[in-house]
Amino acid sequence: MKHRIIRIISLALLLANLTACSTGNKSVAEKRYAFNNILDIAYTPDTLHRCTGWFTDAGSWMGFTLPEKQQWLNGFCGPFSLDMFRRQWMAQSATIVGFAKDAQASFTPDSTCYYPGELYLSAHSADGRITQRLNFVSSSTALLRIETDKSEDLLLTGSRWGRDVTVSIEQNSVIARHPSGESVTVTFTPDVELTAADNNYTALIHAPKSPVNVAISFFTSEKEMAAGLQNLPSLLNHPGNALQANADRWEGYLTKILRTDMKPEYDRIAVKAVTTLISNWRTHRGGLLHEGIIPSHAVGYFVGFWAWDTWRFSAGTAKFDPELAKNNIRAMFDYQQPDGMIIDCIYTDPSENNARDSKPPLVCWAVDEIFTHTGDTTFVAEMYPQLLSYYKWWYQKRDHNRNGMCEYGSTDGTLEAAAWESGMDNAIRFDNAVMLKNDGADDAWSMDQESVDLNAYLALECKLLKKFAVLLKVPFDGPDYTDRVANYFFDTNINFFCDRRLKDSSFIEEPGCEAYTPLWTQIATQEQVDAMLPMLQDTAKFSTYIPFPTIAADNPKYNPRGYWRGPIWLDQTYFAIRGLRNYGYNKMADEYTRQVFDRLNGLKEGAPIHENYGTHTGERLKAPHFSWSSSHLLMMYDDYGK
């Protein structure tokens, strides 16, 4: 009850303070306007720096930032090309806005804001105030709306077009072309006077009496541009439907994920997680044959789709955008190999795809989450044969001694790729691993150790495949070793789950996060979980400031910045917390969730969600705007208090 009262008071205060930010299309009662400055993406680009976060939406390959108040431009910065292979600012700003009577007048910023799905800025000069809003209305186009408090002519121009960009005017559009084939267009209504000058433009708008609409579009080819420009006159003359669709989409996202019984600051975490996932959404392009979600738009090498990342993103988005979740899964299965393998990662340029390894099998979990939220048996039927083929592949290509317990491996025989296949590239448990050639295929190699997490994942996949088979009334003919996994990998010497060596079946006693997986997949016995508690609750090992690191914190090899050798990865922390909940330790799980929500640096403020965090400090470490951390924060939010 107290949280509800706090939410009502907070919303009332917000509404009182945001009258200057009303949309002109809907009232500020939209849920997104309760989450102002959800992320700090203020950045004014110059020639020396690149940004680490953008506003993007609707699957677009372009992004924008808010101008920094100390380096003010009276317009949104960008767009920025978000493609992995050619990332650059197409312009410092494609649309600087001022009053025509004094085009050189400086503007003083009043306020800026990043709402979920919308950018806002307001500034004034001696001649009056100008406010601007930016919303994506499609994957190719963002709609800029400009309003003033004076009936004065407006003048728009571009600022510092990117290297090798050529600007021209064609009919009602400014077209900025790059030799790569990418182009940015700025399109106006026919009454606007466009003039070309010095590889730039000016647009004179006479005394507007209503919001001025400008379409900023990003295209990857001349053919795409020609088709896209045909749709813009209708958008500019009648923007209401497109803006309403944007508002409804975001209202739908937030309505589906927000609870009525949570602290406002925890709601903010959930909304930030959704905003992060949607900002990493990309429409199909080149070799990416379906839309999907990338790990992080802020890191160039992450602009592709990875297998186990995809399974996590799809599980995380199933509740609020199941169609995106479905298509992300389809994108990975577009490259399923004849033997059933799902390759590690795919890109817009298929020559860059990595087929040296796969990734941990979590896809049936993602499909089941989609089914849970949609009841869509058609999608389950579409995926089932491919899921079963992938499941069987593990036993065909990654079970060296044919005992039903699988190993991580690679197609090229390298330990590097095998470590990638685990997803835990430099994990301590692999320090002494060597590669073994498997019988029957030239592309089948295994590490010389059986991994507990892999076989726990496979046990869950098996359970769900059986569920799907019953649902679809089809046979399940895959191997099933589920009942053996927990006892096989439980080391009674230290009361913890560990990997086992192939040569002598001995345990690799380097306790780490792989032990959380049997709890999350619910194959551990209650007795095993109870026996693990002393180590899990030991503040020197796993019950750290941020709980459940990737390796016991008192391990001599522990490294606070060691990627998978110490830091917090929120997927693993989620597996541990949900695992405890699965075995009746709900209060403990809630306490650990609060530690995550309350202690991660910047999580409740404007900082982006990161790839991993400091175990003892909560400091932000690798890649910002990270999708799988966001997915698992949403899962923790959804589980909390239940």
Side-chain angles (χ1 to χ4, degrees):
M1 184 65 180
K2 180 178 75 172
H3 293 157
R4 292 180 182 176
I5 293 172
I6 292 172
R7 285 167 61 88
I8 292 169
I9 293 172
S10 299
L11 185 57
L13 290 173
L14 184 68
L15 296 180
N17 289 323
L18 288 182
T19 55
C21 299
S22 62
T23 67
N25 186 54
K26 290 187 72 174
S27 73
V28 293
E30 283 182 34
K31 286 184 175 65
R32 66 170 155 200
Y33 295 115
F35 300 94
N36 60 317
N37 290 313
I38 193 66
L39 285 162
D40 180 3
I41 57 164
Y43 179 74
T44 303
D46 56 33
T47 57
L48 300 178
H49 298 91
R50 293 195 339 193
C51 182
T52 56
W54 288 267
F55 167 64
T56 184
D57 187 13
S60 184
W61 289 86
M62 69 173 169
F64 298 85
T65 62
L66 290 162
E68 296 169 88
K69 292 183 178 179
Q70 299 81 1
Q71 294 179 273
W72 186 256
L73 297 175
N74 206 42
F76 300 111
C77 298
F80 183 87
S81 170
L82 291 167
D83 183 74
M84 173 182 177
F85 301 104
R86 204 199 59 75
R87 293 167 67 85
Q88 77 162 47
W89 291 94
M90 298 293 285
Q92 185 183 51
S93 176
T95 52
I96 299 290
V97 187
F99 291 105
K101 65 190 294 185
D102 187 2
Q104 303 303 315
S106 61
F107 277 78
T108 301
D110 299 318
S111 63
T112 63
C113 195
Y114 181 3
Y115 298 108
E118 180 172 300
L119 288 189
Y120 169 87
L121 65 80
S122 175
H124 69 274
S125 72
D127 299 313
R129 175 173 286 106
I130 296 176
T131 62
Q132 302 177 57
R133 292 181 180 275
L134 193 69
N135 300 85
F136 279 83
V137 295
S138 71
S139 61
S140 62
T141 298
L143 185 66
L144 172 65
R145 291 172 288 157
I146 307 166
E147 295 184 83
T148 74
D149 63 351
K150 298 289 178 66
S151 184
E152 298 282 351
D153 292 354
L154 294 177
L155 192 70
L156 275 70
T157 188
S159 171
R160 289 171 56 180
W161 292 97
R163 187 176 63 254
D164 299 326
V165 169
T166 303
V167 179
S168 62
I169 293 175
E170 299 178 22
Q171 297 182 333
N172 301 322
S173 296
V174 178
I175 300 180
R177 291 181 171 88
H178 188 271
S180 66
E182 292 181 341
S183 60
V184 169
T185 66
V186 184
T187 303
F188 300 87
T189 52
D191 56 317
V192 175
E193 296 179 17
L194 283 176
T195 304
D198 298 326
N199 202 46
N200 202 352
Y201 77 96
T202 59
L204 179 63
I205 303 170
H206 293 289
K209 296 180 180 179
S210 59
V212 173
N213 298 311
V214 181
I216 306 172
S217 302
F218 181 80
F219 302 110
T220 61
S221 69
E222 289 289 320
K223 181 179 179 181
E224 185 182 295
M225 180 175 67
L229 288 175
Q230 294 180 18
N231 301 319
L232 298 183
S234 176
L235 170 67
L236 292 174
N237 289 319
H238 305 286
N241 289 341
L243 290 172
Q244 189 65 56
N246 174 284
D248 290 346
R249 176 164 57 86
W250 277 96
E251 190 77 1
Y253 292 159
L254 303 190
T255 297
K256 289 174 182 176
I257 63 105
L258 285 173
R259 295 168 52 174
T260 60
D261 58 347
M262 293 289 272
K263 296 180 181 180
E265 57 266 37
Y266 290 1
D267 287 341
R268 187 174 177 85
I269 293 170
V271 173
K272 184 189 288 191
V274 170
T275 303
T276 301
L277 285 162
I278 294 301
S279 73
N280 287 330
W281 169 18
R282 295 291 174 268
T283 192
H284 61 88
R285 177 177 177 180
L288 302 179
L289 305 182
H290 284 87
E291 64 181 346
I293 297 174
I294 61 174
S296 168
H297 69 266
V299 181
Y301 55 80
F302 275 144
V303 185
F305 300 160
W306 271 256
W308 80 325
D309 300 62
T310 290
W311 317 147
R312 299 171 191 284
F313 307 161
S314 294
T317 56
K319 186 174 185 178
F320 68 91
D321 195 341
E323 290 307 310
L324 175 56
K326 292 175 191 176
N327 284 331
N328 205 170
I329 291 171
R330 290 175 176 128
M332 292 306 306
F333 276 86
D334 286 334
Y335 289 90
Q336 186 169 29
Q337 304 297 290
D339 62 0
M341 178 187 181
I342 296 298
I343 65 174
D344 180 12
C345 57
I346 60 176
Y347 295 101
T348 53
D349 179 358
S351 70
E352 298 289 332
N353 293 355
N354 178 37
R356 295 170 61 192
D357 54 272
S358 187
K359 273 292 190 283
L362 290 157
V363 62
C364 291
W365 166 54
V367 171
D368 188 55
E369 286 295 306
I370 292 168
F371 175 72
T372 297
H373 291 292
T374 65
D376 188 351
T377 55
T378 301
F379 179 66
V380 176
E382 172 193 339
M383 295 305 305
Y384 182 78
Q386 299 171 83
L387 298 174
L388 182 59
S389 178
Y390 181 41
Y391 173 77
K392 291 179 178 179
W393 173 85
W394 285 96
Y395 294 95
Q396 293 164 354
K397 298 294 181 73
R398 295 291 188 270
D399 182 5
H400 182 76
N401 59 4
R402 302 300 177 191
N403 69 340
M405 297 295 129
C406 293
E407 310 89 24
Y408 290 118
S410 62
T411 62
D412 63 1
T414 66
L415 182 59
E416 176 185 57
W420 291 347
E421 185 162 280
S422 77
M424 302 181 185
D425 306 6
N426 66 338
I428 288 171
R429 59 180 163 144
F430 302 136
D431 281 358
N432 298 312
V434 298
M435 298 301 294
L436 302 173
K437 178 74 172 62
N438 295 334
D439 293 336
D442 292 335
D443 62 349
W445 295 75
S446 287
M447 288 187 188
D448 65 339
Q449 66 189 68
E450 298 159 327
S451 288
V452 57
D453 52 336
L454 171 57
N455 288 280
Y457 293 140
L458 286 168
L460 177 60
E461 297 285 284
C462 180
K463 173 184 174 182
L464 293 174
L465 284 166
K466 288 180 175 179
K467 172 183 174 178
F468 299 155
V470 171
L471 180 71
L472 300 173
K473 297 181 174 59
V474 297
F476 169 78
D477 61 355
D480 181 2
Y481 298 96
T482 303
D483 292 343
R484 292 180 47 201
V485 175
N487 287 334
Y488 186 83
F489 287 102
F490 193 73
D491 182 354
T492 56
N493 182 49
I494 61 171
N495 285 327
F496 218 66
F497 287 103
C498 298
D499 285 7
R500 297 185 72 162
R501 299 178 180 89
L502 283 175
K503 63 181 179 181
D504 58 8
S505 292
S506 60
F507 288 102
I508 300 172
E509 293 182 341
E510 299 274 20
C513 60
E514 59 276 5
Y516 313 151
T517 312
L519 282 66
W520 175 67
T521 60
Q522 294 181 273
I523 61 167
T525 67
Q526 185 71 50
E527 293 73 22
Q528 288 169 339
V529 177
D530 294 344
M532 291 174 69
L533 281 183
M535 192 179 295
L536 290 175
Q537 291 183 284
D538 189 334
T539 56
K541 295 182 182 295
F542 292 103
S543 188
T544 44
Y545 178 74
I546 308 297
F548 305 116
T550 45
I551 194 73
D554 61 354
N555 190 308
K557 298 179 183 178
Y558 172 87
N559 181 345
R561 292 179 171 270
Y563 209 52
W564 286 95
R565 302 175 75 86
I568 294 292
W569 288 74
L570 290 176
D571 62 320
Q572 301 302 309
T573 294
Y574 166 75
F575 286 160
I577 292 174
R578 181 55 193 254
L580 290 170
R581 207 177 292 280
N582 288 340
Y583 290 86
Y585 295 104
N586 293 61
K587 290 184 178 179
M588 189 185 302
D590 284 346
E591 175 57 33
Y592 283 131
T593 301
R594 286 192 292 272
Q595 287 179 221
V596 171
F597 286 177
D598 294 339
R599 294 177 178 179
L600 289 183
N601 184 269
L603 187 61
K604 293 185 290 185
E605 293 76 41
I609 295 169
H610 276 61
E611 182 177 13
N612 41 42
Y613 290 84
T615 302
H616 299 299
T617 62
E619 66 180 309
R620 306 189 299 273
L621 297 177
K622 299 285 186 180
H625 303 279
F626 204 67
S627 293
W628 95 21
S629 297
S630 300
S631 290
H632 290 287
L633 285 168
L634 278 176
M635 295 172 199
M636 289 186 217
Y637 172 89
D638 201 45
D639 287 348
Y640 180 71
K642 295 181 179 179

